[in-house]
């Protein structure tokens, strides 16, 4: 049995080898000749899985160790009897931490959030966790998710145009869907841009094509969008250096790149392959995740406003500005920066102590997921 796997999937090497021959290849380079004799394929977003890759191969199962599916032609896979899976929610905690770090940067950059309105577009595994970040920072939270509203009578859906008009911060957490009644391609377009509240902040950590790059540039130039934050880009990894220079924060598609999120994605991929091919790995998890030297924090006991204390705690675990700095310094190395990402642990891996953790701050820290002594 042969399994082909993206060589950047962490914790995977050595796990499947007792059961199959495994060949590791850079995801963007996996081609028809590589998979022709393969039985299984384990990928990330950089491998496009469709007829042109798999026709004529003997692949029976494909799994992506990522949350998204737009890089897989699911209809073709199902029509041809090829089992497929992704790893829904695997990196939702990581994206939550990314957005919290963006909020911390806004808070510390003269854009105070308490009392402002947060509009979340897409309220699945990720968006639901981001709502807790908004609550932690004292924001009013509006939700937009038409597919959920169609299924859940009590879902508090706010029309997209209304949400854009009312929100001081808008953040996208949708899959990329190009057709149909719930299409998400270019949700930010010439029409929806004009709905946005002047001076607002926009965050996109979902898929690049959800935000039309040309329109975003227009929004920044006009002042409708005061601060823009992108982790995902049209045409990535060939990103617009001009746009990068206009952003408050630009990062190389790493919002979901915590160690915890990667481990969850790999575990989901291994368990799927185990079920498909009868390996004894149905409950496999990485044994031990890397830790930083010190995973404890102390909340300042100086007299500061609550949100500033919260922002400093967040930044102590993960400073999104460091990722932005790396990309600005070397935008042509988008893929290499992703492939050599430093260790980042999510909030539940951190312990907080401090003399001035009052009840309100305690509640906010718990909403983010910190452990408190």
């Amino acid at each position: 049995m042969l399994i082909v796997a993206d060589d950047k999937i962490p914790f995977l090497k050595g796990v499947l080898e007792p059961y199959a021959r495994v060949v590791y290849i850079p995801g963007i380079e996996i081609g028809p000749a590589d998979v022709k004799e393969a039985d299984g394929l384990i990928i990330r977003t950089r491998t496009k899985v469709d007829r042109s890759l798999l026709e004529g191969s003997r692949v029976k199962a494909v799994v992506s160790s990522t949350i998204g599916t737009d890089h897989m032609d699911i209809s073709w896979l199902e029509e041809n009897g090829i089992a497929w899976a992704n790893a829904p929610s695997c990196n939702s905690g990581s994206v939550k931490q990314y957005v919290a770090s963006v909020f911390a940067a806004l808070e510390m950059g003269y854009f105070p959030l308490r009392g402002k309105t947060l509009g979340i577009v897409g309220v699945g595994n990720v968006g639901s966790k981001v709502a807790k970040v908004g609550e932690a920072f004292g924001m009013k939270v509006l939700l937009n998710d038409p597919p959920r509203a169609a299924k859940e009578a009590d879902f508090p859906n706010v029309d997209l145009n209304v949400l854009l008009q009312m929100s001081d911060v808008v953040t996208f957490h949708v899959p990329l869907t190009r057709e149909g009644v719930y299409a998400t391609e270019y949700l930010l377009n010439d029409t929806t841009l004009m709905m946005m509240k002047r001076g607002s902040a926009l965050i996109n950590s979902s898929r690049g094509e959800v935000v039309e790059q040309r329109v975003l540039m227009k929004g920044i130039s006009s002042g409708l969008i005061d601060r823009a934050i992108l982790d995902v880009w049209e045409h990535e990894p060939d990103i617009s250096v001009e746009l990068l220079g206009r952003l408050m924060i630009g990062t190389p598609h790493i919002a979901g790149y915590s160690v915890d999120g990667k481990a969850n994605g790999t575990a989901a991929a291994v368990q799927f392959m185990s079920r498909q091919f009868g390996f004894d790995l149905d409950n496999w998890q990485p044994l031990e995740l890397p830790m930083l030297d010190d995973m404890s924090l102390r909340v300042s006991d100086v007299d500061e406003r609550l949100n500033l204390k919260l922002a400093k705690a967040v930044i102590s675990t993960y400073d999104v500005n460091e990722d932005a700095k790396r990309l600005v310094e070397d935008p042509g190395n988008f893929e290499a920066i992703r492939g050599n990402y430093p260790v980042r642990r999510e909030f539940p891996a951190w312990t907080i102590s401090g003399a001035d953790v009052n009840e309100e701050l305690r509640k906010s820290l718990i909403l983010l997921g910190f452990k408190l002594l």
Side-chain angles (χ1 to χ4, degrees), residues 269-335:
V270 168
Q271 291 171 19
F272 175 77
M273 284 297 174
S274 177
R275 292 191 298 271
Q276 293 302 310
F277 296 115
F279 304 156
D280 187 22
L281 296 167
D282 286 9
N283 299 304
W284 180 86
Q285 295 282 342
L287 289 177
E288 192 172 311
L289 301 187
M291 302 285 282
L292 302 173
D293 290 339
D294 185 1
M295 300 293 295
S296 62
L297 302 173
R298 182 176 176 84
V299 176
S300 169
D301 57 3
V302 301
D303 186 19
E304 295 176 329
R305 55 190 172 87
L306 182 147
N307 268 17
L308 188 56
K309 289 185 179 183
L310 191 62
K312 287 182 176 179
V314 169
I315 289 291
S316 295
T317 72
Y318 166 55
D319 187 353
V320 69
N321 289 299
E322 292 298 317
D323 282 335
K325 180 181 177 182
R326 279 188 282 272
L327 184 60
V328 167
E329 290 175 347
D330 196 2
N333 244 344
F334 191 97
E335 289 290 78

Side-chain angles (χ1 to χ4, degrees), residues 98 102-103 106 111 118-119 121 164 167-173 187-189 192-193 196-197 199-208 210-212 215-217 219-220 224-232 243 247-250:
Y98 177 92
V102 169
F103 281 14
L106 288 168
F111 194 95
L118 170 65
V121 183
L164 294 175
S167 297
D168 301 287
V169 180
V170 176
T171 182
F172 292 102
H173 301 286
L187 280 179
L188 183 74
N189 52 48
T192 54
L193 173 66
M196 292 195 69
K197 185 175 184 179
S200 56
L202 180 142
I203 306 166
N204 185 20
S205 58
S206 57
R207 285 292 182 265
V210 170
V211 170
E212 191 170 358
V215 172
L216 178 58
M217 289 285 283
I220 295 170
L224 278 171
I225 299 173
D226 182 56
R227 305 177 192 216
I229 298 94
L230 291 185
D231 182 56
V232 289
L243 176 58
L247 300 177
M248 173 185 167
I249 294 171

Side-chain angles (χ1 to χ4, degrees), residues 1 9 20 101 109 112 132 173 175 214 232 245 302 307 322 356 370:
M1 174 173 290
I9 297 174
S101 191
K132 294 185 182 298
H173 301 286
R214 172 190 60 81
V232 289
V302 301
N307 268 17
E322 292 298 317
D356 193 26
F370 283 110

Side-chain angles (χ1 to χ4, degrees), residues 48-69:
K48 180 69 175 176
V49 177
D50 54 14
R51 177 177 183 170
S52 64
L53 178 67
L54 295 184
E55 189 170 46
S57 77
R58 68 182 198 193
V59 169
K60 304 178 186 69
V62 177
V63 60
S64 180
S65 64
T66 63
I67 193 171
T69 59

Side-chain angles (χ1 to χ4, degrees), residues 99-289:
V99 174
S101 191
V102 169
F103 281 14
L106 288 168
E107 191 72 41
M108 299 171 80
Y110 308 103
F111 194 95
L113 298 175
R114 187 159 295 273
K116 284 189 167 65
T117 298
L118 170 65
I120 301 175
V121 183
V123 196
N125 290 311
V126 176
S128 298
K129 291 185 177 179
V130 170
K132 294 185 182 298
V133 179
E135 293 175 35
F137 277 90
M139 303 182 76
K140 177 183 178 182
V141 179
L142 302 180
L143 308 176
N144 171 263
D145 195 315
R148 279 194 64 178
K151 297 176 182 176
E152 303 172 28
D154 59 346
F155 182 77
N157 192 65
V158 176
D159 179 80
L160 179 61
N161 287 340
V162 174
L163 179 145
L164 294 175
Q165 291 173 44
M166 297 181 65
S167 297
D168 301 287
V169 180
V170 176
T171 182
F172 292 102
H173 301 286
V174 295
L176 178 60
T177 308
R178 300 184 188 277
E179 299 176 347
V181 65
Y182 300 130
T184 60
E185 185 176 30
Y186 295 152
L187 280 179
L188 183 74
N189 52 48
D190 285 304
T191 301
T192 54
L193 173 66
M194 301 313 295
M195 299 294 109
M196 292 195 69
K197 185 175 184 179
R198 177 166 290 277
S200 56
L202 180 142
I203 306 166
N204 185 20
S205 58
S206 57
R207 285 292 182 265
E209 291 81 4
V210 170
V211 170
E212 191 170 358
Q213 180 175 295
R214 172 190 60 81
V215 172
L216 178 58
M217 289 285 283
K218 185 165 71 171
I220 295 170
S221 297
S222 69
L224 278 171
I225 299 173
D226 182 56
R227 305 177 192 216
I229 298 94
L230 291 185
D231 182 56
V232 289
W233 309 70
E234 278 191 273
H235 316 303
E236 65 176 66
D238 299 317
I239 66 172
S240 167
V241 177
E242 180 185 5
L243 176 58
L244 177 61
R246 303 293 302 277
L247 300 177
M248 173 185 167
I249 294 171
T251 52
H253 201 153
I254 46 72
Y257 264 39
S258 70
V259 169
D260 312 70
K262 290 180 178 181
N264 291 338
T266 302
V270 168
Q271 291 171 19
F272 175 77
M273 284 297 174
S274 177
R275 292 191 298 271
Q276 293 302 310
F277 296 115
F279 304 156
D280 187 22
L281 296 167
D282 286 9
N283 299 304
W284 180 86
Q285 295 282 342
L287 289 177
E288 192 172 311
L289 301 187

